[in-house]
Amino acid sequence: MTTEALNKSDLIVKISEKNPHLAEPLVEDAIKIMIDHMIDALSNNQRIEIRGFGSFALHHRQPRVGRNPKTGEKVQVAAKAVPHFKPGKALRDAVNEQVAP
């Protein structure tokens, strides 16, 4: 099973090909604006929900003591917020239909 990544440029090309009435620079701008708004929302601790696709939220991790794997020395790891994606039912079902043998 080969896994090939779909990057932002590929996504822009695919959307442009499926919608020939939209110029590629316009599609690129739309995707950039959408991603920027998503980043802004998550940066402001807001949840993003796209029906049928999934939701994005922040998971907050507490500060902890970690270890340097090379030296074994204890290292303080700061608290942080990590983006988390939870797929929606429609997305899970669509993926499972494609992947199931």
Side-chain angles (χ1 to χ4, degrees), residues 21-77:
H21 61 285
L22 297 175
E24 196 168 304
L26 183 64
V27 173
E28 184 176 359
D29 288 345
I31 290 176
K32 184 182 180 324
I33 290 168
M34 184 182 75
I35 291 171
D36 288 345
H37 281 297
M38 293 174 77
I39 291 169
D40 288 343
L42 288 173
S43 296
N44 292 317
N45 204 24
Q46 294 174 316
R47 186 172 181 271
I48 302 166
E49 184 175 324
I50 303 170
R51 300 275 178 185
F53 182 70
S55 61
F56 297 86
L58 292 179
H59 282 193
H60 298 278
R61 296 198 179 154
Q62 298 297 318
R64 63 184 175 86
V65 176
R67 292 201 181 272
N68 180 330
K70 190 171 187 178
T71 64
E73 179 184 346
K74 290 183 180 180
V75 179
Q76 279 298 113
V77 179

